[in-house]
Structure formats: structure tokens, C-alpha cells
Amino acid sequence: MGKHSATGWWVPLTKRWILALLIMLSISTAIAFFIRAALDPCDRHLEVSDKKRVQSQSVPRIATKSSPLSFMKSKLVLLVSHELSLSGGPLLLMELAFLLRGVGTKVNWITIQKPSEEDEVIYSLEHKMWDRGVQVISAKGQETINTALKADLIVLNTAVAGKWLDAVLKEDVPRVLPNVLWWIHEMRGHYFKLDYVKHLPLVAGAMIDSHVTAEYWKNRTRERLRIKMPDTYVVHLGNSKELMEVAEDNVAKRVLREHVRESLGVRNEDLLFAIINSVSRGKGQDLFLHSFYESLELIKEKKLEVPSVHAVIIGSDMNAQTKFESELRNYVMQKKIQDRVHFVNKTLTVAPYLAAIDVLVQNSQAWGECFGRITIEAMAFQLPVLLQKCLYQGTAAGGTTEIVVNGTTGLLHPVGKEGITPLAKNIVKLATHVERRLTMGKRGYERVKEIFQEHHMAERIAVVLKEVLKKSKSHLY
């Protein structure tokens, strides 16, 4: 992690960069350089599902100097994750674990799927949890069953985690369902299986990251599975305090920008358009590269005077290059744009790259992202966002506009091949209009400050947890 590949080849960190990072640690806010930034989930209103439709209502701001989650002190919470990786779902659940630990909650963590061999990422993340007082326990066994039965709250993270209930708890499943909050991030059809979600109607509630995803789940579960969603709450995410501190520290950002760019072999005046997601076909890196190449051709054809434009793909895997990633690299070679495209290995620390780039591109395909955490992180760094429209209902409405305001904080483009040319044109627009780019970035930052910070997310989650605990307590009587 943290290793870079420029122009398709792997380049190690230089001693000079490492020294710079150590210097950065002396800057009070730059300690957050070592925080993680999730690569993929959603924001701001609470949504409750009744018998007929999902209704949204504003979550009231909790006016108190203490944490809005302080009522969780001394309660026992069991967090169940389908995996432990650098993907958005597990990292988001870890963030909830740390918020709860911060108010004195007893937090136990279970990872359902683990590789048989030792994994560096899992080892690192588990130790990070242990250091923060989160108890990591086995996904099976009597200790796990006892913990589940005693827990005040069980949070199942992602639809896939539902299989753990029958596999481990078996006949005790009905006893724990009233204490279960199901946190759902997925927006893809293959997750709609009864094997995964057959207990969904009986849990205390479902928490979903965006309004469009909540509506999608309500309709799909009813039409495809003939089951009803439980009370459903939409909770948009927020940026951590640590990330915001780095984003607001101009000295830290300047140093990070200089050294990341040096490692990539680009100049300070060059324009960097980056896509930050695990490299996979569903994330749309291939279509982004087609758009990028087309934008270079447009610039050349129209003889536009712009700085050198570069594409950065962050989320590569140097140890296990997939067929898809090989296709990406071959495309770069065929188009002879090796000097303009840079592959960077997946990393736990995206803050340096957000400080180094000029524009974020979100290009996830099909139903898109439920929320796209990286989007609000980029907006915190005053970056405009080029975002794909949500395919659901065939419009730009829904999850996309819950974050990015088209024409104000970023620009939208269609999904699929139809989006290649529009995205290329949007790249050219932001490359040629400096003021527009900077204004969009500033407005995105203002939007983050208004509704996408950690305390906003904590307040919204607190409302949900209070409701779920109230239902659980009433079930006892």
C-alpha cells in the first residue's frame, strides 16, 4: 500500500517523500494523513418506510456539547461485517465502531469471510480496531452466540451479512432479530436473494446510505422477493474530523501535493483528473480512459491552450493484476498515452492524492454508487466532481444529486458508452475554465461544511439508534 505506478510501471516511494511525510507529522493537523478514506458508500435526511412508501423527514439537529451518541455509553454492540477490506462497507462500519467507542460503548466485531492465509490488510485493520478498544471475535462459536444474545444492538453490514444469522445463530435467530439494525450499501441486483435477506422484514430497522437506494430496495424486495422492508432510515455519511483537518490545512495540502506530484512525475501546473476506486469493470475505469483519450483529441483538434492534462487511476493492485486491469494498461499502450496516465496502488490513505489532484471523476456503472464516500471527501478538498448519473429511474435524480449539485459543485454525465463523449467534454470544460473549476470546488466545500461532516453523520445515526433501541425495548414487554 502507498506504492505508486506512473505511466503503467511500479515506482516505489522515494526517501525524500518519506522524509517529507515525517515532517508532516509535526504539523498538528497532518496526523490525519494516516487516516483511511473509503473507496466506496450515503447523507442527510432520515427516511422511514411505512406500508405504502418510503417517506423522508429531516433529522433534527441535536443541540448538545456532548456527543449525540452519548446515550450509547456502556451498551453492548455487535458489529457483523461480511469482510474486512479497504472497500467502503467495512471501513464505514469501522468508523461507526470508533464513534461508539468514543462514547464508551462496548463494541465487538465479527468478520464473516476471512482468507485462510494471513492477509496484510486484515492484520492491519484488526490491530487498528484493537488499539481503539474494539474487541475482534470469531464469527462462529459459543462466545459469539452468547455475545449476540446479550447485545443491546446488532448491526449487520451489507445484505450479504444476512447469511450469518442462520449459519451461526440457528434456532436463536428469532431472539436477536428485534435487536438488529441492517445497514445496507448495495445497489446491484445479485444481492436480492432470499438467502441473504429473508429475515429483513423482521429486524428492528434498515439503515441505507441514500434515498434512491432506499426506494430501490423497497421496490425490488416487494416485486422480486415478495417481502416488505422494515422501517427504513436514510443516513447520509459525513467526513471524519481528521480528514477535514487535513483538507483545511493549506500547508499540509501544499506539501502533500508537491510530493505526490513529484512521485508521479507531473508538474505543479499540470491538471490531474483522478478516479479513486478499486479497479474493476463496475467502477468504470475503462470508460473513463476512453473519455480521457477523447478529451486529449478534442484539445488537440480545437488547438486549445491548456496545461498538460493527466489521468490518475487510484485503486490498482500491483500484486494481483486482473484481466481487467491488464486491459486498461494495454489500452494506454495502444493509444500511446503512457506519459499521461498514472496507475496508483490501492491505499488506506487517499488524503495525499486528494491534495494532489484537480478534479475527481466518479464513473461507477449500472446503478452507480449508493452514495460514493470519496465524493464528499474530494469536495472537502475543494475539488469539483465529474459524476455519472444514477441509472435508477433513468434520470439524474436520486443518489447522485444527493451529493453533487449539477452545474454548481460538479457536472453529471450518463452511464455506459453513452457517457464517454459527455464526460470527455466535461473534462475539456474544466480544463479550459479555471474559474469555473475553482468556483465549483469552493461550493462543494461549502456543501460539505453544511451537511457532510462527522458530527452531522453522528447526529443522524443517533436518531436511528434511539428508534431501534426503543423498538427493541418495547419488544421485551
Side-chain angles (χ1 to χ4, degrees):
M1 289 185 289
K3 299 174 182 175
H4 312 282
S5 177
T7 67
W9 300 95
W10 183 75
V11 179
L13 285 170
T14 62
K15 290 183 180 178
R16 185 176 174 187
W17 191 8
I18 295 173
L19 177 60
L21 296 181
L22 292 175
I23 293 172
M24 285 301 301
L25 291 178
S26 66
I27 303 173
S28 61
T29 60
I31 188 69
F33 172 78
F34 289 101
I35 65 169
R36 75 108 198 112
L39 295 177
D40 179 23
C42 309
D43 152 277
R44 161 168 145 254
H45 297 295
L46 170 68
E47 186 162 76
V48 182
S49 173
D50 64 11
K51 294 181 179 180
K52 295 185 178 180
R53 63 189 182 89
V54 178
Q55 301 173 325
S56 65
Q57 63 185 59
S58 297
V59 175
R61 187 67 55 86
I62 300 174
T64 175
K65 291 182 180 179
S66 63
S67 168
L69 291 165
S70 57
F71 66 93
M72 294 296 294
K73 182 178 181 180
S74 301
K75 294 193 181 300
L76 175 61
V77 175
L78 177 63
L79 304 180
V80 182
S81 184
H82 70 294
E83 65 177 13
L84 188 53
S85 68
L86 297 180
S87 59
L91 292 176
L92 185 55
L93 192 65
M94 280 181 62
E95 205 163 311
L96 175 60
F98 298 155
L99 284 174
L100 292 172
R101 283 296 303 142
V103 297
T105 308
K106 300 171 186 175
V107 181
N108 284 8
W109 177 287
I110 285 171
T111 303
I112 300 171
Q113 300 171 0
K114 280 188 181 181
S116 53
E117 66 279 2
E118 187 173 311
D119 183 277
E120 180 185 346
V121 171
I122 292 177
Y123 178 85
S124 174
L125 295 178
E126 284 188 343
H127 276 73
K128 188 173 183 178
M129 286 193 280
W130 280 111
D131 290 343
R132 300 285 288 271
V134 178
Q135 302 298 306
V136 181
I137 63 176
S138 170
K140 301 176 182 178
Q142 193 58 46
E143 179 192 5
T144 302
I145 296 172
N146 292 342
T147 301
L149 293 174
K150 290 187 296 183
D152 297 290
L153 175 70
I154 300 172
V155 180
L156 296 182
N157 197 42
T158 76
V160 182
K163 294 187 74 173
W164 172 82
L165 291 169
D166 287 318
V168 175
L169 300 183
K170 299 177 182 176
E171 67 272 9
D172 289 317
V173 169
R175 294 175 61 187
V176 304
L177 290 179
N179 300 336
V180 170
L181 174 65
W182 210 319
W183 202 355
I184 295 173
H185 314 289
E186 300 94 335
M187 272 196 80
R188 285 169 174 79
H190 59 275
Y191 293 108
F192 289 91
K193 296 180 179 177
L194 275 177
D195 282 352
Y196 296 156
V197 298
K198 66 182 180 182
H199 297 299
L200 189 55
L202 303 176
V203 301
M207 188 162 70
I208 299 184
D209 304 328
S210 69
H211 295 284
V212 70
T213 309
E215 190 69 22
Y216 178 73
W217 269 84
K218 185 196 76 168
N219 292 335
R220 297 278 285 197
T221 50
R222 183 187 65 230
E223 295 165 5
R224 178 176 290 194
L225 302 179
R226 305 292 185 223
I227 62 175
K228 177 187 167 186
M229 288 289 289
D231 287 344
T232 301
Y233 309 87
V234 169
V235 173
H236 287 157
L237 310 182
N239 288 326
S240 68
K241 291 178 183 177
E242 293 83 2
L243 183 128
M244 291 301 297
E245 287 172 356
V246 176
E248 294 173 338
D249 188 321
N250 290 329
V251 176
K253 287 195 295 184
R254 185 173 67 249
V255 174
L256 292 172
R257 179 182 177 89
E258 289 173 359
H259 289 279
V260 169
R261 284 178 171 247
E262 182 181 346
S263 76
L264 296 174
V266 298
R267 301 168 300 178
N268 186 57
E269 63 268 24
D270 293 343
L271 288 176
L272 271 57
F273 290 75
I275 186 167
I276 306 179
N277 281 115
S278 298
V279 171
S280 67
R281 203 171 299 278
K283 300 300 182 182
Q285 287 94 348
D286 53 343
L287 299 176
F288 166 58
L289 284 178
H290 282 79
S291 296
F292 178 71
Y293 176 73
E294 191 171 310
S295 73
L296 295 179
E297 293 297 297
L298 285 171
I299 291 170
K300 189 188 305 179
E301 177 188 317
K302 295 182 179 181
K303 298 180 180 178
L304 300 173
E305 293 186 8
V306 296
S308 180
V309 181
H310 295 253
V312 186
I313 295 178
I314 301 167
S316 178
D317 190 338
M318 304 303 173
N319 298 320
Q321 277 193 31
T322 62
K323 179 183 177 183
F324 177 67
E325 185 167 336
S326 297
E327 290 173 6
L328 299 181
R329 293 172 182 265
N330 288 338
Y331 177 81
V332 170
M333 297 287 286
Q334 289 166 10
K335 296 299 182 180
K336 298 180 180 178
I337 51 175
Q338 302 96 308
D339 61 329
R340 298 293 191 99
V341 179
H342 312 269
F343 291 89
V344 176
N345 205 18
K346 61 176 65 174
T347 174
L348 199 61
T349 53
V350 299
Y353 299 101
L354 293 174
I357 67 176
D358 299 289
V359 179
L360 177 75
V361 178
Q362 270 283 65
N363 205 39
S364 295
Q365 299 301 299
W367 302 108
E369 299 288 346
C370 172
F371 183 77
R373 179 67 171 280
I374 190 65
T375 305
I376 60 171
E377 291 172 332
M379 289 162 64
F381 279 78
Q382 301 194 33
L383 300 176
V385 180
L386 299 180
L387 185 69
Q388 87 294 340
K389 294 178 183 177
C390 179
L391 185 61
Y392 183 63
Q393 297 176 335
T395 71
T400 53
T401 52
E402 289 172 40
I403 312 172
V404 174
V405 180
N406 191 30
T408 300
T409 64
L411 298 171
L412 301 182
H413 58 271
V415 296
K417 293 181 180 179
E418 295 79 11
I420 291 176
T421 297
L423 175 55
K425 290 179 178 178
N426 286 344
I427 290 172
V428 174
K429 280 180 189 175
L430 294 190
T432 53
H433 293 86
V434 180
E435 279 303 316
R436 187 177 191 184
R437 189 172 71 242
L438 296 177
T439 300
M440 282 184 170
K442 183 179 179 182
R443 288 175 176 168
Y445 167 75
E446 291 168 353
R447 185 163 166 78
V448 164
K449 291 288 283 185
E450 181 185 354
I451 55 177
F452 293 134
Q453 296 192 77
E454 183 180 281
H455 68 89
H456 297 127
M457 181 174 74
E459 289 167 3
R460 295 188 280 262
I461 290 176
V463 173
V464 176
L465 298 191
K466 283 181 178 179
E467 286 292 317
V468 169
L469 291 176
K470 190 188 301 181
K471 291 176 188 174
S472 176
K473 187 177 291 187
S474 66
H475 185 81
L476 294 176
Y477 303 103

